[in-house]
Structure formats: C-alpha cells, structure tokens
Amino acid sequence: QGRGGGGAMGFGRRDRDRAGPSGFTVQLRGLPYRVTEREIADWVGEAADPVDVIIQMDRGRPSGRAECVFSSDREARRVASNMHRRDLGSRYIECFYEGTD
C-alpha cells in the first residue's frame, strides 16, 4: 500500500498489474516525488473525480508519473484539457489522454 493510506476508491495501490480493461486513463507527468494518491485525486478533482490513482514507481521510488482512471471518456478528456500544465505545489503537471477514437 502507498503512502496515501489506501482506502476508498482504490487509492493507495502503486504500480499494479495493468492487464485488463481499467477505465479511461489519464497519464500525469512531472509530479512531486512525495505526492500521495489522495493529493493527486484532490488536484484532478477540480475537473473530475477519479475512480483510481496509481503512482508509477521506478526501482522502488516514485517516478514523478501517475495514472488516473476515470469512469468515462468525457471525464478523462475534461481532466486532460483543464488540468494540463496546471500547478500542483511548485510543479506544473502534464496530463495526457489518448482517448477512445
């Protein structure tokens, strides 16, 4: 379990197996290394509430990247367009969504 403490909506699981359908995923890049899943969820929550947040790890340490899973294509697109290059703390975050086209 991650630093976020887990709990509701699946938050707190890091670098899980990606097999199978997992919803509509927005990739985040440039995150502070000490950010928690809950902080990410609160930040993207300005645009839409995520179903899950997965912080990606690199050799056991946070990589500065995460995946946010949303329940619809519309929510994922809204997050990618509204939150791209917005600040989280002292860092600006890049948001990418490939969509279902």
Side-chain angles (χ1 to χ4, degrees):
Q1 213 172 28
R3 239 178 293 182
M9 296 193 277
F11 299 142
R13 295 174 285 177
R14 295 173 179 237
D15 238 10
R16 294 174 301 158
D17 181 69
R18 294 187 191 180
S22 60
F24 302 89
T25 303
V26 175
Q27 303 288 324
L28 305 181
R29 196 165 61 189
L31 294 163
Y33 294 115
R34 293 182 173 262
V35 72
T36 65
E37 292 86 358
R38 175 54 56 197
E39 290 168 330
I40 295 168
D42 290 345
W43 183 76
V44 299
E46 291 182 31
D49 292 325
V51 174
D52 201 0
V53 175
I54 303 114
I55 292 177
Q56 297 175 354
M57 305 297 279
D58 181 22
R59 292 183 223 148
R61 296 183 180 183
S63 67
R65 295 184 318 263
E67 295 179 339
C68 290
V69 180
F70 297 91
S71 59
S72 73
D73 176 70
R74 183 180 208 179
E75 288 179 335
R77 287 182 189 280
R78 185 179 328 130
V79 168
S81 67
N82 293 354
M83 302 305 287
H84 185 59
R85 294 197 160 205
R86 297 242 334 242
D87 290 338
L88 174 61
S90 61
R91 312 234 1 197
Y92 82 88
I93 310 305
E94 297 177 308
C95 303
F96 302 98
Y97 177 60
E98 293 183 10
T100 58
D101 298 335

